[in-house]
């Protein structure tokens, strides 16, 4: 059985970085690893073990390789543990599951059920310990997916409904489709995510919709 480091009692040696809705921060860890933390997310680690990270939310990692010691790097979520040897990858714990996209290098996932899953660049793996379901896909032009990478949403053949779920999670808002048929409209492309106004404007231009912000709600109309 795999033991995970995600849940533990904080101590005076615990370092925590947390973002509020709509905030994105760039971090440099003690070992030189770079982390971009998306809105409504949190990472923590013990000062004595800065290459063993706990994540809730969404982050993009550029892990610093240490060839002299071949030191590993770990990212723990509620569903799995990512074992890294120096690489670039994205991890999301949204929607009651953990999704991992590998950009370069190599990683191995240690799932909650005790099994392991190796990944190569360009692969997207999603796993939930609740339903024990795993999906393993190669990122292609035909694959429908939603990714976040260093301040940018990347959508491929993604419904507007799924697009707006990403916005909700990052900014703490709720979406209302005034015109229900807009939910199934597809979007492909990159959308900046460092400013809500710019983000919504880009979605409007890409989908031909109109989005009105009212009392923490995003009202979507046909344009």
């Amino acid at each position: 059985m795999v033991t995970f480091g995600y849940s533990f009692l904080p101590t005076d040696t615990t370092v925590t970085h947390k973002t509020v809705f709509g905030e994105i921060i760039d971090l440099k860890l003690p070992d030189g690893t770079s982390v971009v933390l998306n809105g409504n997310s949190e990472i923590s680690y013990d000062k004595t073990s800065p290459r063993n990270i706990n994540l809730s939310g969404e982050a993009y990692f550029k892990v610093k390789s240490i060839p002299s010691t071949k030191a590993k790097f770990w990212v723990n979520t509620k569903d799995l543990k990512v074992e890294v040897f120096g690489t670039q990858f994205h991890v999301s714990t949204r929607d009651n599951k953990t999704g991992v996209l590998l950009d370069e290098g190599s990683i191995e996932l240690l799932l909650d059920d005790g099994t392991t899953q190796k990944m190569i660049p360009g692969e997207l793996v999603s796993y939930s310990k609740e339903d024990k379901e795993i999906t393993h896909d190669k990122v292609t032009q035909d694959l429908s997916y939603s990714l976040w990478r260093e301040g940018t949403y990347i959508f491929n053949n993604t419904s507007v409904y799924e697009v707006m779920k990403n916005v909700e999670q990052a900014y703490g808002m709720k979406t209302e489709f005034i015109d229900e048929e807009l939910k199934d409209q597809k979007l492909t492309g990159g959308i900046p995510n460092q400013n809500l106004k710019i983000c919504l404007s880009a979605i409007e231009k890409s989908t031909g919709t109109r989005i009105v912000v009212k009392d923490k709600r995003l009202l979507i109309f046909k344009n």
Side-chain angles (χ1 to χ4, degrees):
M1 182 65 181
V2 177
T3 300
F4 291 85
Y6 179 74
S7 298
F8 61 89
L9 293 176
T11 69
D12 56 1
T13 63
T14 299
V15 177
T16 301
H17 297 282
K18 187 174 183 179
T19 56
V20 297
F21 288 114
E23 179 185 23
I24 297 174
I25 60 175
D26 293 282
L27 303 169
K28 183 74 75 172
L29 301 184
D31 70 328
T33 291
S34 298
V35 182
V36 184
L37 196 60
N38 199 5
N40 187 31
S41 301
E42 177 180 323
I43 64 168
S44 63
Y45 59 89
D46 192 278
K47 289 181 180 178
T48 63
S49 186
R51 288 175 71 87
N52 192 11
I53 306 296
N54 302 292
L55 169 68
S56 174
E58 203 163 20
Y60 188 78
F61 295 85
K62 290 184 179 179
V63 176
K64 178 70 172 180
S65 178
I66 307 179
S68 60
T69 62
K70 297 182 180 180
K72 294 181 181 179
F73 187 98
W74 294 273
V75 178
N76 303 277
T77 77
K78 62 183 179 180
D79 301 297
L80 53 82
K81 184 172 187 174
V82 185
E83 187 175 278
V84 187
F85 299 91
T87 187
Q88 297 183 31
F89 61 101
H90 165 271
V91 182
S92 172
T93 65
R94 312 292 197 192
D95 296 328
N96 299 314
K97 61 185 178 182
T98 296
V100 181
L101 170 71
L102 179 59
D103 275 347
E104 65 177 52
S106 63
I107 59 179
E108 183 171 87
L109 308 181
L110 287 72
L111 307 184
D112 178 73
D113 62 6
T115 61
T116 61
Q117 181 77 54
K118 291 185 180 296
M119 293 183 64
I120 62 174
E123 288 185 329
L124 177 63
V125 172
S126 177
Y127 175 74
S128 169
K129 71 174 183 180
E130 300 299 328
D131 54 25
K132 306 298 181 184
E133 288 188 2
I134 184 170
T135 61
H136 193 157
D137 297 296
K138 183 73 175 179
V139 175
T140 66
Q141 291 184 341
D142 298 325
L143 180 66
S144 176
Y145 58 82
S146 301
L147 301 173
W148 180 84
R149 180 183 294 135
E150 298 183 291
T152 302
Y153 285 126
I154 301 173
F155 300 112
N156 189 72
N157 198 31
T158 306
S159 69
V160 175
Y161 175 78
E162 291 295 329
V163 169
M164 297 311 299
K165 282 180 63 178
N166 283 269
V167 177
E168 288 179 347
Q169 291 162 342
Y171 290 94
M173 309 186 81
K174 293 297 182 182
T175 302
E176 292 185 22
F177 285 86
I178 306 305
D179 296 297
E180 287 285 322
E181 62 268 31
L182 294 176
K183 287 183 176 181
D184 297 324
Q185 184 173 327
K186 303 297 183 180
L187 186 152
T188 295
I191 301 294
N193 182 37
Q194 295 178 308
N195 177 283
L196 178 60
K197 184 177 181 180
I198 295 174
C199 177
L200 296 180
S201 177
I203 294 173
E204 287 178 325
K205 291 178 181 179
S206 299
T207 60
T209 59
R210 182 165 63 93
I211 305 175
V212 176
V213 181
K214 183 177 181 181
D215 300 327
K216 287 290 184 179
R217 293 178 298 155
L218 302 172
L219 309 179
I220 304 185
F221 303 81
K222 286 182 178 179
N223 195 350

